[in-house]
Amino acid sequence: MFSLDWIYYAISWILLAWHSAWDAIGVADGAVLGTNWAWILAIVFLVVTVRVILFPVFVKQIKSQRAMQALQPQVKALQEKHKGDRETLQKEMMELYRKEKANPLMGCLPMFLQIPVFLGLFHVLRRLDPAKENKTLYGWAVDQFDSASSATLFTAPIAGKFGSTAEELARLGANATTVKVMAGVLVLIMMGTTYLTSRQMILKTGWAEDPQQRMIQRLMLYGIPLSLLISGAIFPIGVIIYWVTNNLFTLGQQQWVLRKFPPPPTMNAKSGSAPRNPVQPAKTGGLLGRNKPAAQVPAKPVAPKVAGPKPGAKPVNPKKGRPAKRQG
């Protein structure tokens, strides 16, 4: 059976290293405003460590999304060409992505790579129970384990969760109402920031033309935040702190990367499709030529000018057809 112990050891090592660093520079491990800031900052900088490691992958994600946007006109043409033939359409689209070296799954890669970190932190914090006999598992010292298991955020233990039983809360020495209020507020913040990270990316890159890509975008925008309303009840408060911090970090990172690598100027930010490029009409005089190119405005025929008689001169062309007047 595949073991995840290496992830638990890695997460524990990073947490303990940051806790030792904050403790060394004078951040008190005692509760200030009901909060053990050294452990809270250790969780926050676990996020920083992971995001710095994954930053090259994040940049590749942005570049891949740009490539996918550039291919949208060709994708749309394939959809029109193979309408009703889903198998052929998928085959042609996969060939197009392969030829242009675009990966539709790259947009989700950074999130998938963070799942092991999330699961590792979830497992490590869940075992912060004072009743545990083996307190040295995953490289922890006994005093570090005791310090972390008693660490709080505004008097709510970071190992507590919204769905904690009365027995679990009693072992942590926590008040049930305090834990539920703090966990509930953090879950709502987690849902809101998760929605904002997806919305920020979609507003900048546009909705995909490919139905599968659009479905993934809708899942990221609405499905995941709504699922957190239920799953958030089983997350320890420390895990929710990690998630919220990660979302805030993502918002700032996306804003910076999207400015450095802006969407192609030919792409429409809302739909992701190429905007229309109407030909500007040539300027012509007159009301009829205001909205049409000059070549399309028919020229009005003009009669040739005939020079009139000079003042005082006799008419050159007398009226014809009249009989001459008789003298008599």
Side-chain angles (χ1 to χ4, degrees):
M1 183 176 179
F2 181 72
S3 175
L4 296 177
D5 282 356
W6 66 275
I7 296 178
Y8 307 147
Y9 275 100
I11 298 301
S12 298
W13 183 86
I14 296 173
L15 278 176
L16 294 173
W18 277 114
H19 178 265
S20 298
W22 292 114
D23 187 56
I25 64 177
V27 176
D29 205 21
V32 178
L33 297 176
T35 303
N36 299 92
W37 293 107
W39 284 110
I40 300 301
L41 290 173
I43 295 174
V44 169
F45 276 79
L46 169 63
V47 175
V48 174
T49 303
V50 172
R51 296 310 296 261
V52 169
I53 294 173
L54 294 181
F55 184 75
V57 179
F58 185 79
V59 174
K60 286 184 178 181
Q61 174 197 18
I62 298 296
K63 291 182 177 180
S64 177
Q65 288 176 335
R66 295 290 181 268
M68 293 296 296
Q69 283 181 311
L71 292 177
Q72 289 307 310
Q74 298 182 55
V75 170
K76 197 169 184 179
L78 288 175
Q79 291 172 344
E80 293 293 332
K81 180 179 179 182
H82 302 291
K83 186 180 297 184
D85 189 353
R86 189 175 184 82
E87 183 178 352
T88 303
L89 174 62
Q90 292 298 324
K91 184 178 179 181
E92 292 289 334
M93 287 176 58
M94 289 300 103
E95 178 63 22
L96 176 64
Y97 294 151
R98 186 196 64 79
K99 181 180 178 182
E100 300 295 334
K101 298 180 180 180
N103 188 352
L105 300 179
M106 182 60 73
C108 301
L109 184 59
M111 183 186 70
F112 289 145
L113 291 178
Q114 291 186 73
I115 290 177
V117 180
F118 175 80
L119 294 177
L121 181 63
F122 178 84
H123 178 80
V124 168
L125 292 182
R126 191 176 59 174
R127 67 175 297 272
L128 290 179
D129 186 342
K132 291 284 185 181
E133 294 183 1
N134 187 1
K135 298 182 179 182
T136 60
L137 188 62
Y138 308 133
W140 290 71
V142 174
D143 60 333
Q144 291 172 328
F145 184 92
D146 291 337
S147 174
S149 61
S150 62
T152 57
L153 174 66
F154 302 118
T155 72
I158 62 174
K161 50 186 179 293
F162 189 89
S164 293
T165 64
E167 183 182 354
E168 290 172 341
L169 294 174
R171 289 199 300 267
L172 294 171
N175 179 274
T177 302
T178 302
V179 171
K180 289 184 182 299
V181 170
M182 182 57 61
V185 170
L186 287 175
V187 166
L188 292 177
I189 296 174
M190 177 174 62
M191 293 174 60
T193 52
T194 301
Y195 170 80
L196 289 176
T197 55
S198 299
R199 182 174 180 270
Q200 180 191 50
M201 182 63 71
I202 292 174
L203 287 178
K204 292 290 184 180
T205 60
W207 287 96
E209 294 288 343
D210 180 16
Q212 289 186 344
Q213 291 295 310
R214 185 178 287 261
M215 182 180 65
I216 293 175
Q217 287 178 321
R218 291 188 182 279
L219 175 64
M220 298 283 289
L221 185 62
Y222 303 112
I224 293 180
L226 288 176
S227 69
L228 295 176
L229 185 62
I230 300 175
S231 59
I234 66 173
F235 295 161
I237 287 176
V239 171
I240 304 177
I241 293 172
Y242 173 89
W243 194 306
V244 171
T245 304
N246 184 68
N247 286 343
L248 295 176
F249 198 96
T250 299
L251 286 170
Q253 192 177 65
Q254 283 183 170
Q255 186 65 24
W256 181 83
V257 173
L258 289 170
R259 284 186 178 181
K260 190 172 180 63
F261 303 98
T266 58
M267 304 304 296
N268 187 303
K270 291 185 178 181
S271 63
S273 59
R276 296 178 181 177
N277 186 23
V279 179
Q280 297 296 329
K283 293 183 179 180
T284 57
L287 182 61
L288 294 177
R290 186 172 297 172
N291 297 321
K292 297 181 180 180
Q296 296 180 4
V297 179
K300 186 177 180 180
V302 180
K305 295 182 179 180
V306 179
K310 295 182 179 180
K314 294 182 179 180
V316 177
N317 297 319
K319 294 182 180 180
K320 297 181 180 181
R322 288 185 181 181
K325 189 176 181 180
R326 291 185 179 181
Q327 299 292 334

